[in-house]
Amino acid sequence: MDIRLTPEDLELQRRARTFTEQVLFPLELECEENDGLSPESFGSAKRAVLDAGFNAINHREENGGQGLDGFEQILIEEEWGKATGALWDIPWRPAIPLAAATPDQKERYLWPACRGERRDAYAITEEQAGSDPSMVRTTARRDGQGWVIDGTKWHVTSGDIADFFLVHAHVDGDPAKATVFLVDKDLPGVELVRTPKYSHTFVFEHPIFAFDGVRVGKDAVLGEVGSGYELTKDWFVEERIMIGARTMGAATRALDLSLAFAKERVQFGEPIVGFQAIEFMLADMAAQIMAAKSMLYRVGWQAARGGAARKEVHALASAVKLVCSETAGRVADAAVQIHGGRGYMREQPVERLWRELRVDRIWEGTSEIQRMVIGNELRKRGHEAFTGWPS
Ligand SMILES: Cc1cc2nc3c(=O)[nH]c(=O)nc-3n(C[C@H](O)[C@H](O)[C@H](O)COP(=O)(O)OP(=O)(O)OC[C@H]3O[C@@H](n4cnc5c(N)ncnc54)[C@H](O)[C@@H]3O)c2cc1C
């Protein structure tokens, strides 16, 4: 078994690290202090994304993306995840279900989104529908040549900068006909309801949008009527693995900063790293990152290069998201403790990481929902996918 990264993987990792250090880190304090970036800073960061060739890293070249495999994407996202303020969301990754677009839809949505000229936001969650999307009340009904969409969507990440939405709706109110619609933000009836504040600092917003009798053409259906859950599942699987990658990057940075601080900070006449209480915290952080990251790389490899079946990857992605997000939360908490009072100051990256990592146990399926997916796999096919090894 050879688990070494290839020279190409190492080069990609190096490029992503340089990008994070040179483009994202310098924007962190501006983002934290102003709850976002100025148009100038955002504009120059976007240009840097294009210069680095980090736009649409998740799409195939024939669809306008960079043509990277899932493992390469993990290496990149791990580096970006070290940045606070969710600056990792500046390099745009058009939602993967857009790969199911028709040639005409690709021309209008996917290609410009890959170039950074358009931006999507994925709208599934509603006031009454979170973990259970079958409770979605947004409806689409046929009207003449097209569709009329009605409903309200919550927590629409990047909805402030998006110019189109992937809206998960039930045709005729029937959950068996869950369907994703491409909806332009400037259409009559698309309304910003409000922009709530969240615990974390996020470079963009998560507004609530109402769709009030929004008329779209018959060509607004992504995939087919009734394929909504399958498309949304593709999105979840990709996002769950990438959350694994970003949380591992964040946890590694928290450890790095804690180790450096503990070596430097002197109390009771010696560096605090000399106290076993601190040393043990650092040891736990390192060992837990090692365990979670090993799992992430293994699953990333299986999914991208190991020929794992789609169902298996779905279950494994839940295990990755569960373990990596919970590990990173524990690591960031210990990092705050090691930093003492400084760890509670927003100007310190460990404070921001601690606050920002909390949502990774909630979005793209809570930890409880990941356990349900894992449990379902155990009941249906046993534990081999988790406890066995790819052959
Ligand atoms: C910052 C942020 C950004 C987001 N961005 C987006 C976005 O871009 N697009 C989008 O569509 N959504 C987005 N979401 C929504 C997110 O995916 C949901 O919040 C999440 O899926 C949980 O749904 P909920 O909040 O309704 O909680 P609920 O489903 O109401 O859950 C409440 C609690 O009950 C638990 N629970 C629910 N069902 C079960 C069960 N069967 N067994 C055990 N426990 C259960 C949950 O784990 C949780 O602890 C975002 C959320 C946040 C906070």
Side-chain angles (χ1 to χ4, degrees):
M1 185 169 75
D2 186 350
I3 59 167
R4 284 173 298 184
L5 296 179
T6 65
E8 295 76 24
D9 288 338
L10 287 167
E11 172 57 15
L12 198 58
Q13 188 183 53
R14 188 198 59 75
R15 279 178 46 215
R17 188 167 297 161
T18 303
F19 178 86
T20 304
E21 289 170 0
Q22 294 184 355
V23 179
L24 302 183
F25 283 172
L27 297 173
E28 286 186 316
L29 278 181
E30 178 190 338
C31 187
E32 177 60 29
E33 284 162 12
N34 303 323
D35 195 16
L37 296 179
S38 66
E40 296 72 35
S41 296
F42 180 41
S44 66
K46 275 189 77 172
R47 282 191 295 281
V49 171
L50 290 168
D51 290 347
F54 281 148
N55 52 311
I57 62 166
N58 58 336
H59 281 277
R60 295 198 302 268
E61 275 179 285
E62 62 266 34
N63 283 336
Q66 299 295 338
L68 299 175
D69 74 21
F71 190 79
E72 291 169 315
Q73 292 171 46
I74 286 174
L75 295 175
I76 295 173
E77 296 262 354
E78 186 184 354
E79 295 305 319
W80 292 349
K82 292 177 180 172
T84 62
L87 295 168
W88 45 261
D89 203 31
I90 290 178
W92 51 96
R93 291 181 309 116
I96 202 67
L98 287 166
T102 62
D104 175 58
Q105 289 171 334
K106 283 183 184 171
E107 199 65 43
R108 285 189 291 143
Y109 295 99
L110 181 54
W111 281 88
C114 287
R115 289 193 298 265
E117 294 157 11
R118 301 202 69 178
R119 180 116 187 187
D120 59 308
Y122 214 134
I124 308 166
T125 305
E126 300 179 2
E127 187 173 8
Q128 307 297 340
S131 300
D132 179 5
S134 73
M135 290 180 74
V136 156
R137 288 185 185 166
T138 298
T139 58
R141 60 181 167 80
R142 285 186 179 83
D143 183 66
Q145 286 300 301
W147 299 88
V148 178
I149 298 177
D150 283 286
T152 301
K153 295 293 186 181
W154 278 45
H155 310 302
V156 183
T157 295
S158 308
D160 54 327
I161 58 153
D163 71 340
F164 70 100
F165 302 106
L166 284 79
V167 177
H168 184 104
H170 290 167
V171 166
D172 302 328
D174 181 356
K177 293 187 203 154
T179 305
V180 176
F181 289 85
L182 294 165
V183 180
D184 289 316
K185 191 174 167 183
D186 61 2
L187 285 177
V190 178
E191 285 156 27
L192 172 68
V193 177
R194 65 187 177 94
T195 304
K197 287 291 157 207
Y198 290 76
S199 298
H200 61 192
T201 301
F202 196 102
V203 61
F204 309 125
E205 307 284 358
H206 316 285
I208 299 175
F209 282 97
F211 299 85
D212 187 9
V214 177
R215 288 177 183 278
V216 293
K218 67 174 191 288
D219 56 353
V221 172
L222 183 62
E224 293 162 20
V225 169
S227 68
Y229 286 117
E230 286 307 304
L231 291 177
T232 297
K233 205 175 188 182
D234 287 346
W235 187 58
F236 279 147
V237 167
E238 181 187 64
E239 287 300 313
R240 286 170 186 171
I241 294 178
M242 294 310 149
I243 284 172
R246 290 195 294 269
T247 53
M248 282 300 96
T252 306
R253 186 177 182 204
L255 173 58
D256 228 14
L257 291 165
S258 301
L259 190 54
F261 180 80
K263 283 182 179 169
E264 193 185 287
R265 176 71 174 164
V266 174
Q267 289 294 284
F268 298 96
E270 60 173 301
I272 61 169
V273 74
F275 303 135
Q276 202 171 52
I278 301 292
E279 189 189 34
F280 277 18
M281 274 196 261
L282 291 165
D284 280 342
M285 290 160 86
Q288 289 177 29
I289 292 171
M290 182 185 174
K293 180 167 164 169
S294 303
M295 183 180 176
L296 166 72
Y297 277 29
R298 168 202 151 165
V299 170
W301 180 87
Q302 271 181 283
R305 301 177 186 175
R310 186 169 179 262
K311 276 186 186 152
E312 194 182 354
V313 175
H314 179 235
L316 293 173
S318 284
V320 163
K321 199 240 181 203
L322 174 68
V323 171
C324 291
S325 64
E326 299 215 340
T327 298
R330 282 194 298 274
V331 167
D333 191 77
V336 168
Q337 197 66 19
I338 290 169
H339 278 73
R342 287 169 178 77
Y344 206 58
M345 296 167 79
R346 286 180 177 230
E347 65 192 40
Q348 294 288 338
V350 291
E351 188 279 340
R352 301 195 297 273
L353 291 171
W354 170 68
R355 192 161 26 96
E356 292 166 8
L357 282 164
R358 186 63 186 87
V359 77
D360 290 301
R361 286 184 268 162
I362 297 173
W363 61 11
E364 313 302 346
T366 62
S367 288
E368 292 70 41
I369 295 305
Q370 308 312 327
R371 289 186 174 95
M372 278 170 58
V373 174
I374 297 166
N376 193 38
E377 172 74 13
L378 292 177
R379 278 196 306 279
K380 283 188 181 155
R381 284 175 282 271
H383 58 74
E384 185 63 19
F386 308 103
T387 59
W389 200 253
S391 53

